[in-house]
Amino acid sequence: MVKKRRRRHISPLQRRLMALVIILSVFVGLTLTYKAIVRPPQLEGENGAGLPASSQAFSSAEQALQDADQLALAAKAAHSARKSDFYTILVSGVDDGNGGSDTNILVAVDAGAGRIYGVNIPRDTKSRINGKNYKFNAAYNLGGMEQAAETLSGQLGIPVDYTVEVSLKAFSALVDAIGGVDFNIPVNMDYDDPIQNLSIHFTAGTRHLTGAEALKVVRFRHNNDGTGYGSEDIGRMKTQQDFLKAVAKQTLRPANLTKVSQFAKIFQQYVKTDLELGELAWLGQEAFSMGADNVNFSTLPGEWHSPYIYLNADEVLGIVNEYLNPYVEDRVLADLNILS
């Protein structure tokens, strides 16, 4: 006769403890997975050139040269030592119908100081590309985001760590995803372009904009009769900055944390970048923690002399060191390459 095995009795307390252990195990597993995926952007050679290993024996002349080399390398390393959690990202809107990048903003994410600063690069900025003079927005057409980043880095004397190429459809989709944006339209807008099938008609004042409407507002440069901002691209950049500030205020609210997956879907569909998904998640997390009040914009200062905008080197240097410089040590005019 087979003896029946007695079933072990589990008390309600034991069941609760077991459930708690399972929940904690799942939580720890998810936390470890999250930390493994979500991480700060990884930069190569962050702290500049290292010093060479010491040699065994040198003549006095050789030693003097070695010492001079050591000092030069030390100075170079000091000049390129980076701030912690500081990243520069070139964001370009490229669907302007002309093959170039119509909107270019260098965004400095300073997670250490808890702020984000974006600087518009005027599309007509005089730039040197492959030995010839061009307007800055031609860089994308000549070599994509890599060329645009290289051109801007050469002018400002700082690295462009990452690039984000945005279809204007992404802009429209994001605005719709956050439920539209209340925005004060600065001027009356009456413009028609049959070639692009584009009609922009708005009265100045505050209104709630859908994604499609917002796209028209930020693309507007002048009216059919030539009136409008009076300074076309400069006026348009100011509107873009004000609108992006409004978008940041609307997006970086706790309520929108539930829409992260929707934002990610928009990003995957319309955006090209060399940032990895976990790095983007980290940057988004930092942006939410900073809040919209710590997101600001400006424009590289310069003057229009047909056919280019000529940047003011001294004023640009001030903006670089105040907001955009990822290095511990300030840049100097010799680090910049501003064309006259």
Side-chain angles (χ1 to χ4, degrees):
M1 182 176 177
V2 179
K3 191 175 181 180
K4 287 187 177 181
R5 193 173 179 180
R6 291 185 64 186
R7 190 174 180 179
R8 186 180 176 186
H9 176 70
I10 301 176
S11 70
L13 177 60
Q14 287 175 315
R15 288 193 182 94
R16 286 195 289 269
L17 287 173
M18 287 173 65
L20 180 60
V21 169
I22 292 171
I23 291 171
L24 287 174
S25 298
V26 171
F27 176 77
V28 169
L30 290 173
T31 301
L32 292 174
T33 302
Y34 175 82
K35 288 185 176 180
I37 295 174
V38 180
R39 58 185 176 83
Q42 304 297 300
L43 297 172
E44 295 182 7
E46 276 190 20
N47 294 319
L51 299 178
S54 58
S55 303
Q56 295 178 350
F58 295 94
S59 67
S60 58
E62 288 174 331
Q63 186 63 53
L65 288 173
Q66 180 72 5
D67 291 343
D69 288 342
Q70 291 268 356
L71 289 171
L73 284 171
K76 182 179 179 181
H79 200 57
S80 57
R82 291 189 61 126
K83 301 171 185 174
S84 177
D85 291 336
F86 192 115
Y87 308 97
T88 58
I89 306 167
L90 177 61
V91 180
S92 297
V94 298
D95 272 355
D96 66 346
N98 299 312
S101 53
D102 203 37
T103 299
N104 299 281
I105 302 174
L106 183 63
V107 178
V109 179
D110 187 353
R115 70 181 184 184
I116 297 174
Y117 200 87
V119 176
N120 276 81
I121 297 89
R123 66 199 298 272
D124 294 334
T125 297
K126 185 178 182 181
S127 304
R128 193 79 171 168
I129 306 171
N130 298 329
K132 296 182 180 180
N133 292 333
Y134 292 93
K135 295 180 179 180
F136 179 79
N137 73 325
Y140 176 84
N141 195 37
L142 293 169
M145 291 300 296
E146 184 177 352
Q147 182 65 69
E150 181 182 329
T151 301
L152 184 61
S153 177
Q155 289 177 306
L156 301 186
I158 55 175
V160 174
D161 298 323
Y162 299 99
T163 62
V164 176
E165 179 182 326
V166 183
S167 163
L168 295 184
K169 292 178 182 177
F171 176 85
S172 179
L174 175 62
V175 172
D176 285 335
I178 61 177
V181 174
D182 293 326
F183 185 66
N184 183 33
I185 299 172
V187 296
N188 291 331
M189 298 181 175
D190 290 291
Y191 176 76
D192 299 282
D193 185 347
I195 296 176
Q196 296 189 62
N197 193 27
L198 178 64
S199 293
I200 304 174
H201 299 285
F202 297 103
T203 302
T206 300
R207 63 176 289 168
H208 189 77
L209 298 173
T210 65
E213 291 170 336
L215 187 53
K216 290 181 178 181
V217 168
V218 299
R219 292 184 70 183
F220 174 81
R221 296 176 67 191
H222 59 76
N223 292 311
N224 291 325
D225 63 1
T227 62
Y229 293 123
S231 56
E232 292 193 5
D233 281 321
I234 302 300
R236 180 171 66 163
M237 283 187 288
K238 178 65 167 61
T239 296
Q240 290 173 348
Q241 291 165 9
D242 290 343
F243 190 82
L244 288 174
K245 182 75 174 177
V247 169
K249 185 175 182 180
Q250 180 92 356
T251 304
L252 300 178
R253 298 186 306 174
N256 280 325
L257 282 170
T258 60
K259 298 181 179 180
V260 169
S261 61
Q262 188 175 354
F263 296 156
K265 185 176 180 181
I266 292 170
F267 208 89
Q268 289 176 333
Q269 186 174 1
Y270 297 116
V271 173
K272 297 178 183 178
T273 181
D274 49 3
L275 284 159
E276 296 181 2
L277 182 60
E279 295 170 337
L280 287 167
W282 185 88
L283 290 168
Q285 176 181 279
E286 291 298 309
F288 268 100
S289 68
M290 293 177 202
D293 289 340
N294 291 306
V295 180
N296 292 288
F297 297 90
S298 70
T299 300
L300 288 182
E303 291 187 4
W304 168 260
H305 297 287
S306 183
Y308 302 113
I309 286 180
Y310 291 83
L311 298 179
N312 183 307
D314 290 322
E315 293 182 18
V316 168
L317 180 62
I319 289 177
V320 166
N321 284 326
E322 181 70 20
Y323 302 110
L324 305 177
N325 183 16
Y327 296 121
V328 175
E329 189 175 287
D330 279 354
R331 302 298 90 179
V332 296
L333 281 174
D335 293 314
L336 277 61
N337 184 23
I338 304 299
L339 301 182
S340 58

